[in-house]
């Protein structure tokens, strides 16, 4: 989603300032080392002794798509339990140790990956890596914390179930990916969460936590030789291969119109078009096209036509999402219900114009400048963000020299390539969903 307009102005100004200061060039010169431990655990490392802090991020393949049918929400519940007891330490003892080490530990899961991270002072390295090793290898999943965390999640689900936007989002995914794991509620439902036992959590941990599909990024005050020792301590004793349930690729179901009736003062409009895979040679052409269409907020065609010229909506944006098994270009906005039809017509008109006539050289040059400069702001503004980026680069097989090549890859995109991908993605009958009153304008 795009930022609030005021924040957007701040971001644009910051990007410009950083460009002037040469931060983009500095990030391109960031030295990334590939470190391989004696047991074969591989990580990317950026040594940085500016402050005595170490940040680690890691990801295992297999997220909520691995939840067994009827036990949706299992992966999400598991993310809440790694600091709730491990090895000989129960929940209270583990958290006291974590506090004593001054360490921040967290886990999360998306559809395709199960991720974790830790941040701590370098002089607490021994204690912090020891706690992480316990959490990764010997989580307890004791019944009492399982019940407590489950109750918290269920409370959140019940609260959100009254939110029509949340309910409509579930319907949208079910409509786009019928029968596919991507259609399911990643957080589960009260009923599916109730069915999950500690043994289910132990089985999921055993299936996902393995060395083969593991990506690790480390940033901070640690050298490669020391990191090798810690990598083996934390990950070296995991099984070699995961036991993942195969997940098929799926194309979003387009050419359908959904109308979800809710008594709201506004109508939300969602549109879905085909996307492109991250490995697609036309990815950057699609990325720049999306920026011009609706990704660039104040500079985008959609913002200009829908908000600036007609005042139909506070915001309107488009975004590309490239998951492991599906790709999507989506457009969303919310408008007064009596002007929903007019807003949708204007959006269709803008999409048709881009698909038919493409973008201008001036738009493309401005998009390239922003996309190159914003990378450092969005991905390299802290040690934690850099560690996360290192993991993403590995998971997407972009290469250890990607940061050095990225600007040139973007600069090489031609207007003809952008216009070709616009025709490919936008000249289709999209999926459309409206959420609002039954009688709309």
């Amino acid at each position: 989603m795009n930022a609030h307009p005021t924040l957007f102005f701040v971001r644009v100004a910051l990007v410009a300032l950083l460009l002037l200061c040469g931060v983009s060039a500095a990030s391109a010169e960031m030295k990334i080392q590939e470190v391989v431990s004696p047991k074969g655990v591989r990580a990317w490392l950026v040594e940085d002794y500016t402050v005595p802090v170490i940040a680690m991020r890691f990801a295992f393949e297999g997220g909520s798509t691995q939840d067994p049918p009827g036990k949706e929400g299992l992966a999400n519940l598991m993310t809440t339990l790694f600091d709730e007891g491990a090895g000989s330490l129960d929940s209270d003892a583990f958290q006291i140790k974590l506090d004593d080490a001054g360490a921040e530990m967290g886990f999360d899961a998306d559809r395709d990956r199960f991720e974790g991270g830790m941040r701590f002072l370098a002089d607490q390295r021994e204690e912090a890596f020891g706690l992480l090793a316990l959490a990764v290898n010997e989580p307890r999943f004791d019944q009492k914390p399982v019940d407590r965390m489950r109750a918290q999640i269920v409370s959140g689900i019940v609260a959100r179930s009254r939110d029509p936007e949340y309910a409509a989002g579930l319907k949208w995914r079910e409509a786009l990916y019928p029968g596919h794991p991507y259609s399911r509620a990643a957080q589960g439902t009260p009923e599916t969460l109730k069915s999950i036992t500690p043994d289910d959590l132990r089985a999921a941990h055993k299936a996902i936590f393995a060395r083969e599909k593991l990506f690790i990024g480390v940033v901070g005050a640690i050298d490669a030789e020391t990191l090798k020792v810690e990598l083996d301590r934390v990950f070296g004793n995991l099984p070699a291969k995961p036991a993942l349930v195969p997940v098929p690729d799926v194309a979003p179901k387009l050419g359908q119109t959904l109308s979800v009736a809710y008594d709201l003062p506004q109508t939300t409009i969602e549109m879905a078009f085909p996307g492109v895979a991250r490995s697609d040679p036309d990815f950057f052409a699609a990325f720049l096209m999306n920026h011009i269409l609706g990704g660039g907020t104040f500079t985008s065609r959609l913002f200009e036509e829908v908000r600036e010229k007609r005042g139909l909506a506070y915001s309107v944006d488009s975004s590309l999402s490239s998951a492991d098994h599906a790709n999507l270009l989506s457009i969303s906005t919310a408008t007064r219900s009596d002007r929903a039809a007019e807003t949708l017509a204007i959006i269709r008109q803008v999409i048709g114009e881009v698909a038919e006539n493409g973008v201008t050289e001036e738009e493309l040059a401005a998009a390239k400048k922003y996309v190159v400069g914003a990378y450092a702001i969005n991905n390299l503004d802290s040690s934690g963000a850099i560690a996360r980026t290192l993991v993403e680069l590995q998971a997407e097989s972009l290469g250890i020299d990607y940061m050095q090549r990225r600007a040139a890859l973007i600069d090489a995109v031609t207007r003809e390539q952008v216009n070709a991908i616009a025709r490919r993605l936008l000249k289709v009958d999209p999926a459309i969903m409206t959420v609002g009153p039954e009688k709309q304008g």
Side-chain angles (χ1 to χ4, degrees), residues 53-58 83 94 97-99 101-107 115-121 124-136 217-219 234-235 383-384 387-388:
V53 172
I54 299 171
M56 168 181 274
R57 187 78 186 170
F58 51 90
D83 60 353
F94 190 92
K97 289 276 189 183
L98 206 57
D99 287 345
E104 300 171 354
M105 179 189 293
F107 290 77
E115 302 192 10
M118 199 168 189
R119 190 167 180 268
F120 48 89
L121 292 172
Q124 296 293 318
R125 174 177 57 80
E126 284 284 339
E127 186 69 17
F129 274 124
L131 289 169
L132 184 59
L134 274 183
V136 166
V218 181
V219 178
V234 177
F235 304 106
S383 58
R388 182 186 294 274

mmCIF file of all heavy atoms in Angstrom, residues 53-58 83 94 97-99 101-107 115-121 124-136 217-219 234-235 383-384 387-388:
data_model
loop_
_atom_site.group_PDB
_atom_site.id
_atom_site.type_symbol
_atom_site.label_atom_id
_atom_site.label_comp_id
_atom_site.label_asym_id
_atom_site.label_seq_id
_atom_site.Cartn_x
_atom_site.Cartn_y
_atom_site.Cartn_z
ATOM 1 N N VAL A 53 26.330 -3.933 17.389
ATOM 2 C CA VAL A 53 25.050 -4.648 17.309
ATOM 3 C C VAL A 53 25.129 -5.694 16.196
ATOM 4 O O VAL A 53 25.779 -5.465 15.169
ATOM 5 C CB VAL A 53 23.895 -3.660 17.032
ATOM 6 C CG1 VAL A 53 22.595 -4.404 16.744
ATOM 7 C CG2 VAL A 53 23.712 -2.715 18.216
ATOM 8 N N ILE A 54 24.461 -6.825 16.402
ATOM 9 C CA ILE A 54 24.363 -7.868 15.388
ATOM 10 C C ILE A 54 22.886 -8.116 15.100
ATOM 11 O O ILE A 54 22.089 -8.284 16.028
ATOM 12 C CB ILE A 54 25.023 -9.179 15.866
ATOM 13 C CG1 ILE A 54 26.516 -8.957 16.148
ATOM 14 C CG2 ILE A 54 24.841 -10.286 14.823
ATOM 15 C CD1 ILE A 54 27.176 -10.141 16.837
ATOM 16 N N ALA A 55 22.546 -8.116 13.812
ATOM 17 C CA ALA A 55 21.178 -8.441 13.390
ATOM 18 C C ALA A 55 21.223 -9.668 12.496
ATOM 19 O O ALA A 55 22.045 -9.734 11.582
ATOM 20 C CB ALA A 55 20.550 -7.268 12.646
ATOM 21 N N MET A 56 20.365 -10.629 12.775
ATOM 22 C CA MET A 56 20.265 -11.835 11.941
ATOM 23 C C MET A 56 18.832 -12.011 11.479
ATOM 24 O O MET A 56 17.889 -11.773 12.241
ATOM 25 C CB MET A 56 20.711 -13.078 12.714
ATOM 26 C CG MET A 56 20.358 -14.395 12.018
ATOM 27 S SD MET A 56 20.858 -15.867 12.940
ATOM 28 C CE MET A 56 22.544 -16.053 12.373
ATOM 29 N N ARG A 57 18.671 -12.419 10.240
ATOM 30 C CA ARG A 57 17.362 -12.749 9.698
ATOM 31 C C ARG A 57 17.503 -14.075 8.955
ATOM 32 O O ARG A 57 18.511 -14.315 8.283
ATOM 33 C CB ARG A 57 16.901 -11.657 8.734
ATOM 34 C CG ARG A 57 15.478 -11.824 8.231
ATOM 35 C CD ARG A 57 14.475 -11.389 9.253
ATOM 36 N NE ARG A 57 13.107 -11.693 8.811
ATOM 37 C CZ ARG A 57 12.046 -11.587 9.583
ATOM 38 N NH1 ARG A 57 12.172 -11.162 10.827
ATOM 39 N NH2 ARG A 57 10.842 -11.887 9.134
ATOM 40 N N PHE A 58 16.511 -14.946 9.051
ATOM 41 C CA PHE A 58 16.573 -16.216 8.336
ATOM 42 C C PHE A 58 15.171 -16.629 7.907
ATOM 43 O O PHE A 58 14.163 -16.187 8.477
ATOM 44 C CB PHE A 58 17.216 -17.311 9.207
ATOM 45 C CG PHE A 58 16.615 -17.454 10.567
ATOM 46 C CD1 PHE A 58 15.560 -18.323 10.783
ATOM 47 C CD2 PHE A 58 17.097 -16.719 11.630
ATOM 48 C CE1 PHE A 58 14.999 -18.459 12.044
ATOM 49 C CE2 PHE A 58 16.530 -16.844 12.898
ATOM 50 C CZ PHE A 58 15.476 -17.713 13.100
ATOM 51 N N ASP A 83 9.573 -17.954 21.623
ATOM 52 C CA ASP A 83 10.134 -17.331 22.826
ATOM 53 C C ASP A 83 9.285 -17.671 24.046
ATOM 54 O O ASP A 83 9.342 -17.004 25.074
ATOM 55 C CB ASP A 83 10.268 -15.815 22.667
ATOM 56 C CG ASP A 83 8.934 -15.136 22.417
ATOM 57 O OD1 ASP A 83 7.928 -15.850 22.230
ATOM 58 O OD2 ASP A 83 8.898 -13.886 22.393
ATOM 59 N N PHE A 94 12.661 -18.661 29.853
ATOM 60 C CA PHE A 94 13.227 -18.275 28.564
ATOM 61 C C PHE A 94 13.161 -16.765 28.382
ATOM 62 O O PHE A 94 14.118 -16.128 27.933
ATOM 63 C CB PHE A 94 12.484 -18.990 27.430
ATOM 64 C CG PHE A 94 13.153 -18.845 26.088
ATOM 65 C CD1 PHE A 94 14.067 -19.781 25.644
ATOM 66 C CD2 PHE A 94 12.877 -17.758 25.265
ATOM 67 C CE1 PHE A 94 14.702 -19.646 24.420
ATOM 68 C CE2 PHE A 94 13.507 -17.603 24.043
ATOM 69 C CZ PHE A 94 14.414 -18.547 23.612
ATOM 70 N N LYS A 97 15.746 -14.961 30.442
ATOM 71 C CA LYS A 97 17.068 -15.075 29.803
ATOM 72 C C LYS A 97 17.187 -14.124 28.609
ATOM 73 O O LYS A 97 18.229 -13.506 28.384
ATOM 74 C CB LYS A 97 17.292 -16.512 29.326
ATOM 75 C CG LYS A 97 17.517 -17.530 30.440
ATOM 76 C CD LYS A 97 18.970 -17.540 30.859
ATOM 77 C CE LYS A 97 19.261 -18.696 31.799
ATOM 78 N NZ LYS A 97 20.660 -18.678 32.285
ATOM 79 N N LEU A 98 16.102 -14.030 27.847
ATOM 80 C CA LEU A 98 16.097 -13.147 26.683
ATOM 81 C C LEU A 98 16.263 -11.690 27.116
ATOM 82 O O LEU A 98 17.033 -10.919 26.514
ATOM 83 C CB LEU A 98 14.779 -13.331 25.915
ATOM 84 C CG LEU A 98 14.732 -13.018 24.424
ATOM 85 C CD1 LEU A 98 15.757 -13.817 23.647
ATOM 86 C CD2 LEU A 98 13.331 -13.286 23.890
ATOM 87 N N ASP A 99 15.567 -11.312 28.172
ATOM 88 C CA ASP A 99 15.690 -9.950 28.701
ATOM 89 C C ASP A 99 17.104 -9.694 29.222
ATOM 90 O O ASP A 99 17.679 -8.621 29.012
ATOM 91 C CB ASP A 99 14.675 -9.721 29.815
ATOM 92 C CG ASP A 99 13.259 -9.590 29.287
ATOM 93 O OD1 ASP A 99 13.108 -9.393 28.061
ATOM 94 O OD2 ASP A 99 12.319 -9.688 30.084
ATOM 95 N N ALA A 101 19.798 -10.956 28.238
ATOM 96 C CA ALA A 101 20.730 -10.808 27.107
ATOM 97 C C ALA A 101 20.451 -9.526 26.318
ATOM 98 O O ALA A 101 21.219 -9.183 25.406
ATOM 99 C CB ALA A 101 20.619 -12.014 26.188
ATOM 100 N N GLY A 102 19.360 -8.843 26.635
ATOM 101 C CA GLY A 102 19.002 -7.624 25.893
ATOM 102 C C GLY A 102 18.733 -7.907 24.431
ATOM 103 O O GLY A 102 18.996 -7.068 23.564
ATOM 104 N N ALA A 103 18.196 -9.087 24.157
ATOM 105 C CA ALA A 103 18.000 -9.506 22.767
ATOM 106 C C ALA A 103 16.546 -9.381 22.350
ATOM 107 O O ALA A 103 15.638 -9.605 23.153
ATOM 108 C CB ALA A 103 18.465 -10.949 22.581
ATOM 109 N N GLU A 104 16.325 -9.041 21.081
ATOM 110 C CA GLU A 104 14.989 -9.017 20.485
ATOM 111 C C GLU A 104 14.887 -10.219 19.564
ATOM 112 O O GLU A 104 15.688 -10.384 18.646
ATOM 113 C CB GLU A 104 14.785 -7.733 19.679
ATOM 114 C CG GLU A 104 14.926 -6.453 20.497
ATOM 115 C CD GLU A 104 14.927 -5.212 19.607
ATOM 116 O OE1 GLU A 104 14.931 -5.360 18.368
ATOM 117 O OE2 GLU A 104 14.959 -4.114 20.163
ATOM 118 N N MET A 105 13.901 -11.064 19.787
ATOM 119 C CA MET A 105 13.690 -12.247 18.950
ATOM 120 C C MET A 105 12.266 -12.236 18.433
ATOM 121 O O MET A 105 11.332 -11.926 19.183
ATOM 122 C CB MET A 105 13.941 -13.523 19.767
ATOM 123 C CG MET A 105 13.720 -14.817 19.000
ATOM 124 S SD MET A 105 13.774 -16.288 20.075
ATOM 125 C CE MET A 105 15.498 -16.290 20.557
ATOM 126 N N GLY A 106 12.075 -12.550 17.151
ATOM 127 C CA GLY A 106 10.732 -12.585 16.601
ATOM 128 C C GLY A 106 10.635 -13.533 15.425
ATOM 129 O O GLY A 106 11.618 -13.773 14.717
ATOM 130 N N PHE A 107 9.443 -14.079 15.229
ATOM 131 C CA PHE A 107 9.187 -14.977 14.108
ATOM 132 C C PHE A 107 7.905 -14.532 13.416
ATOM 133 O O PHE A 107 7.022 -13.944 14.033
ATOM 134 C CB PHE A 107 9.022 -16.430 14.592
ATOM 135 C CG PHE A 107 10.312 -17.054 15.079
ATOM 136 C CD1 PHE A 107 10.813 -16.733 16.333
ATOM 137 C CD2 PHE A 107 11.004 -17.941 14.283
ATOM 138 C CE1 PHE A 107 11.996 -17.293 16.783
ATOM 139 C CE2 PHE A 107 12.188 -18.511 14.728
ATOM 140 C CZ PHE A 107 12.688 -18.191 15.980
ATOM 141 N N GLU A 115 9.731 -17.284 8.764
ATOM 142 C CA GLU A 115 10.911 -16.451 8.985
ATOM 143 C C GLU A 115 11.141 -16.163 10.461
ATOM 144 O O GLU A 115 10.232 -16.225 11.280
ATOM 145 C CB GLU A 115 10.772 -15.132 8.218
ATOM 146 C CG GLU A 115 10.587 -15.339 6.723
ATOM 147 C CD GLU A 115 10.744 -14.053 5.939
ATOM 148 O OE1 GLU A 115 11.188 -13.041 6.531
ATOM 149 O OE2 GLU A 115 10.441 -14.062 4.742
ATOM 150 N N GLY A 116 12.392 -15.850 10.770
ATOM 151 C CA GLY A 116 12.738 -15.467 12.125
ATOM 152 C C GLY A 116 13.862 -14.443 12.111
ATOM 153 O O GLY A 116 14.533 -14.249 11.095
ATOM 154 N N GLY A 117 14.042 -13.794 13.233
ATOM 155 C CA GLY A 117 15.104 -12.803 13.308
ATOM 156 C C GLY A 117 15.489 -12.509 14.741
ATOM 157 O O GLY A 117 14.730 -12.776 15.679
ATOM 158 N N MET A 118 16.692 -11.959 14.894
ATOM 159 C CA MET A 118 17.170 -11.615 16.225
ATOM 160 C C MET A 118 18.119 -10.423 16.109
ATOM 161 O O MET A 118 18.827 -10.275 15.106
ATOM 162 C CB MET A 118 17.910 -12.809 16.835
ATOM 163 C CG MET A 118 18.040 -12.724 18.339
ATOM 164 S SD MET A 118 18.595 -14.312 19.023
ATOM 165 C CE MET A 118 18.376 -13.995 20.758
ATOM 166 N N ARG A 119 18.124 -9.597 17.148
ATOM 167 C CA ARG A 119 18.996 -8.420 17.182
ATOM 168 C C ARG A 119 19.511 -8.267 18.600
ATOM 169 O O ARG A 119 18.722 -8.334 19.557
ATOM 170 C CB ARG A 119 18.206 -7.183 16.737
ATOM 171 C CG ARG A 119 19.034 -5.933 16.505
ATOM 172 C CD ARG A 119 18.170 -4.904 15.771
ATOM 173 N NE ARG A 119 18.905 -3.679 15.505
ATOM 174 C CZ ARG A 119 18.917 -2.633 16.316
ATOM 175 N NH1 ARG A 119 18.212 -2.653 17.419
ATOM 176 N NH2 ARG A 119 19.613 -1.553 16.005
ATOM 177 N N PHE A 120 20.819 -8.082 18.748
ATOM 178 C CA PHE A 120 21.385 -8.037 20.096
ATOM 179 C C PHE A 120 22.735 -7.327 20.074
ATOM 180 O O PHE A 120 23.350 -7.150 18.999
ATOM 181 C CB PHE A 120 21.553 -9.457 20.647
ATOM 182 C CG PHE A 120 22.218 -10.401 19.676
ATOM 183 C CD1 PHE A 120 23.596 -10.523 19.647
ATOM 184 C CD2 PHE A 120 21.461 -11.147 18.796
ATOM 185 C CE1 PHE A 120 24.206 -11.385 18.756
ATOM 186 C CE2 PHE A 120 22.064 -12.012 17.896
ATOM 187 C CZ PHE A 120 23.438 -12.130 17.878
ATOM 188 N N LEU A 121 23.201 -6.965 21.266
ATOM 189 C CA LEU A 121 24.518 -6.333 21.380
ATOM 190 C C LEU A 121 25.597 -7.384 21.155
ATOM 191 O O LEU A 121 25.482 -8.540 21.593
ATOM 192 C CB LEU A 121 24.679 -5.709 22.759
ATOM 193 C CG LEU A 121 23.790 -4.501 23.053
ATOM 194 C CD1 LEU A 121 23.908 -4.109 24.521
ATOM 195 C CD2 LEU A 121 24.162 -3.329 22.153
ATOM 196 N N GLN A 124 26.873 -9.589 23.881
ATOM 197 C CA GLN A 124 25.935 -10.601 24.381
ATOM 198 C C GLN A 124 25.783 -11.741 23.359
ATOM 199 O O GLN A 124 24.828 -12.503 23.404
ATOM 200 C CB GLN A 124 24.566 -9.957 24.637
ATOM 201 C CG GLN A 124 24.566 -8.907 25.724
ATOM 202 C CD GLN A 124 24.848 -9.504 27.091
ATOM 203 O OE1 GLN A 124 24.334 -10.561 27.428
ATOM 204 N NE2 GLN A 124 25.705 -8.857 27.870
ATOM 205 N N ARG A 125 26.751 -11.846 22.436
ATOM 206 C CA ARG A 125 26.647 -12.809 21.345
ATOM 207 C C ARG A 125 26.480 -14.244 21.835
ATOM 208 O O ARG A 125 25.611 -14.973 21.356
ATOM 209 C CB ARG A 125 27.882 -12.692 20.439
ATOM 210 C CG ARG A 125 27.961 -13.749 19.353
ATOM 211 C CD ARG A 125 29.153 -13.522 18.454
ATOM 212 N NE ARG A 125 30.410 -13.495 19.197
ATOM 213 C CZ ARG A 125 31.063 -14.580 19.599
ATOM 214 N NH1 ARG A 125 30.556 -15.781 19.364
ATOM 215 N NH2 ARG A 125 32.201 -14.471 20.247
ATOM 216 N N GLU A 126 27.302 -14.657 22.787
ATOM 217 C CA GLU A 126 27.267 -16.049 23.243
ATOM 218 C C GLU A 126 25.884 -16.405 23.780
ATOM 219 O O GLU A 126 25.298 -17.429 23.427
ATOM 220 C CB GLU A 126 28.320 -16.265 24.336
ATOM 221 C CG GLU A 126 29.736 -16.364 23.819
ATOM 222 C CD GLU A 126 30.024 -17.720 23.169
ATOM 223 O OE1 GLU A 126 29.288 -18.675 23.472
ATOM 224 O OE2 GLU A 126 30.947 -17.798 22.354
ATOM 225 N N GLU A 127 25.368 -15.563 24.654
ATOM 226 C CA GLU A 127 24.070 -15.831 25.271
ATOM 227 C C GLU A 127 22.940 -15.765 24.244
ATOM 228 O O GLU A 127 22.050 -16.626 24.216
ATOM 229 C CB GLU A 127 23.803 -14.822 26.390
ATOM 230 C CG GLU A 127 22.547 -15.095 27.195
ATOM 231 C CD GLU A 127 22.648 -16.343 28.054
ATOM 232 O OE1 GLU A 127 23.780 -16.831 28.280
ATOM 233 O OE2 GLU A 127 21.597 -16.837 28.474
ATOM 234 N N ALA A 128 22.996 -14.751 23.363
ATOM 235 C CA ALA A 128 21.909 -14.565 22.400
ATOM 236 C C ALA A 128 21.856 -15.711 21.395
ATOM 237 O O ALA A 128 20.780 -16.276 21.131
ATOM 238 C CB ALA A 128 22.090 -13.224 21.680
ATOM 239 N N PHE A 129 22.992 -16.065 20.811
ATOM 240 C CA PHE A 129 22.987 -17.172 19.851
ATOM 241 C C PHE A 129 22.602 -18.483 20.553
ATOM 242 O O PHE A 129 21.980 -19.360 19.945
ATOM 243 C CB PHE A 129 24.343 -17.315 19.171
ATOM 244 C CG PHE A 129 24.504 -16.438 17.954
ATOM 245 C CD1 PHE A 129 25.558 -15.533 17.855
ATOM 246 C CD2 PHE A 129 23.606 -16.528 16.901
ATOM 247 C CE1 PHE A 129 25.707 -14.734 16.729
ATOM 248 C CE2 PHE A 129 23.749 -15.725 15.772
ATOM 249 C CZ PHE A 129 24.796 -14.823 15.685
ATOM 250 N N GLY A 130 22.969 -18.629 21.824
ATOM 251 C CA GLY A 130 22.578 -19.829 22.559
ATOM 252 C C GLY A 130 21.064 -19.929 22.702
ATOM 253 O O GLY A 130 20.479 -21.013 22.527
ATOM 254 N N LEU A 131 20.407 -18.805 23.006
ATOM 255 C CA LEU A 131 18.949 -18.811 23.118
ATOM 256 C C LEU A 131 18.288 -19.068 21.764
ATOM 257 O O LEU A 131 17.284 -19.792 21.672
ATOM 258 C CB LEU A 131 18.470 -17.478 23.697
ATOM 259 C CG LEU A 131 18.792 -17.259 25.183
ATOM 260 C CD1 LEU A 131 18.518 -15.812 25.573
ATOM 261 C CD2 LEU A 131 17.972 -18.208 26.058
ATOM 262 N N LEU A 132 18.867 -18.480 20.717
ATOM 263 C CA LEU A 132 18.309 -18.713 19.382
ATOM 264 C C LEU A 132 18.461 -20.186 18.990
ATOM 265 O O LEU A 132 17.549 -20.777 18.387
ATOM 266 C CB LEU A 132 19.005 -17.810 18.354
ATOM 267 C CG LEU A 132 18.449 -17.883 16.935
ATOM 268 C CD1 LEU A 132 16.970 -17.499 16.901
ATOM 269 C CD2 LEU A 132 19.252 -16.975 15.988
ATOM 270 N N ALA A 133 19.606 -20.786 19.342
ATOM 271 C CA ALA A 133 19.806 -22.208 19.039
ATOM 272 C C ALA A 133 18.759 -23.062 19.747
ATOM 273 O O ALA A 133 18.213 -24.015 19.166
ATOM 274 C CB ALA A 133 21.216 -22.637 19.444
ATOM 275 N N LEU A 134 18.461 -22.724 20.991
ATOM 276 C CA LEU A 134 17.423 -23.462 21.717
ATOM 277 C C LEU A 134 16.054 -23.304 21.039
ATOM 278 O O LEU A 134 15.323 -24.286 20.856
ATOM 279 C CB LEU A 134 17.326 -22.946 23.152
ATOM 280 C CG LEU A 134 18.256 -23.546 24.209
ATOM 281 C CD1 LEU A 134 17.939 -22.930 25.575
ATOM 282 C CD2 LEU A 134 18.105 -25.060 24.272
ATOM 283 N N ALA A 135 15.732 -22.061 20.690
ATOM 284 C CA ALA A 135 14.423 -21.803 20.080
ATOM 285 C C ALA A 135 14.270 -22.530 18.754
ATOM 286 O O ALA A 135 13.215 -23.095 18.460
ATOM 287 C CB ALA A 135 14.240 -20.295 19.877
ATOM 288 N N VAL A 136 15.316 -22.518 17.936
ATOM 289 C CA VAL A 136 15.241 -23.122 16.602
ATOM 290 C C VAL A 136 15.210 -24.653 16.680
ATOM 291 O O VAL A 136 14.497 -25.309 15.929
ATOM 292 C CB VAL A 136 16.436 -22.646 15.742
ATOM 293 C CG1 VAL A 136 16.585 -23.497 14.488
ATOM 294 C CG2 VAL A 136 16.263 -21.176 15.372
ATOM 295 N N GLY A 217 20.658 -14.027 6.528
ATOM 296 C CA GLY A 217 21.366 -12.762 6.368
ATOM 297 C C GLY A 217 21.813 -12.240 7.729
ATOM 298 O O GLY A 217 21.042 -12.278 8.686
ATOM 299 N N VAL A 218 23.070 -11.797 7.816
ATOM 300 C CA VAL A 218 23.618 -11.308 9.084
ATOM 301 C C VAL A 218 24.310 -9.969 8.825
ATOM 302 O O VAL A 218 25.056 -9.833 7.851
ATOM 303 C CB VAL A 218 24.620 -12.309 9.685
ATOM 304 C CG1 VAL A 218 25.165 -11.786 11.017
ATOM 305 C CG2 VAL A 218 23.970 -13.673 9.884
ATOM 306 N N VAL A 219 24.061 -9.010 9.703
ATOM 307 C CA VAL A 219 24.662 -7.679 9.580
ATOM 308 C C VAL A 219 25.154 -7.244 10.943
ATOM 309 O O VAL A 219 24.442 -7.384 11.946
ATOM 310 C CB VAL A 219 23.623 -6.645 9.070
ATOM 311 C CG1 VAL A 219 24.254 -5.252 8.983
ATOM 312 C CG2 VAL A 219 23.073 -7.062 7.721
ATOM 313 N N VAL A 234 23.467 -22.779 15.755
ATOM 314 C CA VAL A 234 22.027 -22.517 15.638
ATOM 315 C C VAL A 234 21.354 -23.475 14.647
ATOM 316 O O VAL A 234 20.273 -24.009 14.918
ATOM 317 C CB VAL A 234 21.781 -21.054 15.201
ATOM 318 C CG1 VAL A 234 20.280 -20.803 15.014
ATOM 319 C CG2 VAL A 234 22.345 -20.088 16.236
ATOM 320 N N PHE A 235 21.998 -23.688 13.486
ATOM 321 C CA PHE A 235 21.304 -24.420 12.416
ATOM 322 C C PHE A 235 21.960 -25.750 12.031
ATOM 323 O O PHE A 235 21.371 -26.528 11.282
ATOM 324 C CB PHE A 235 21.240 -23.535 11.154
ATOM 325 C CG PHE A 235 20.589 -22.202 11.369
ATOM 326 C CD1 PHE A 235 21.353 -21.029 11.431
ATOM 327 C CD2 PHE A 235 19.211 -22.097 11.508
ATOM 328 C CE1 PHE A 235 20.759 -19.796 11.624
ATOM 329 C CE2 PHE A 235 18.608 -20.865 11.702
ATOM 330 C CZ PHE A 235 19.385 -19.703 11.761
ATOM 331 N N SER A 383 20.182 -2.047 10.194
ATOM 332 C CA SER A 383 20.827 -3.364 10.111
ATOM 333 C C SER A 383 19.775 -4.463 9.942
ATOM 334 O O SER A 383 19.993 -5.432 9.198
ATOM 335 C CB SER A 383 21.661 -3.619 11.365
ATOM 336 O OG SER A 383 20.859 -3.544 12.533
ATOM 337 N N GLY A 384 18.638 -4.324 10.605
ATOM 338 C CA GLY A 384 17.578 -5.310 10.457
ATOM 339 C C GLY A 384 17.027 -5.342 9.039
ATOM 340 O O GLY A 384 16.761 -6.420 8.490
ATOM 341 N N ALA A 387 19.577 -7.060 6.787
ATOM 342 C CA ALA A 387 19.549 -8.513 6.972
ATOM 343 C C ALA A 387 18.346 -9.122 6.263
ATOM 344 O O ALA A 387 18.451 -10.170 5.618
ATOM 345 C CB ALA A 387 19.517 -8.846 8.463
ATOM 346 N N ARG A 388 17.198 -8.454 6.370
ATOM 347 C CA ARG A 388 15.995 -8.949 5.679
ATOM 348 C C ARG A 388 16.211 -8.932 4.166
ATOM 349 O O ARG A 388 15.829 -9.879 3.456
ATOM 350 C CB ARG A 388 14.790 -8.080 6.046
ATOM 351 C CG ARG A 388 13.485 -8.551 5.424
ATOM 352 C CD ARG A 388 12.376 -7.542 5.730
ATOM 353 N NE ARG A 388 12.075 -7.495 7.143
ATOM 354 C CZ ARG A 388 11.223 -8.309 7.759
ATOM 355 N NH1 ARG A 388 10.599 -9.231 7.049
ATOM 356 N NH2 ARG A 388 11.001 -8.202 9.040
#
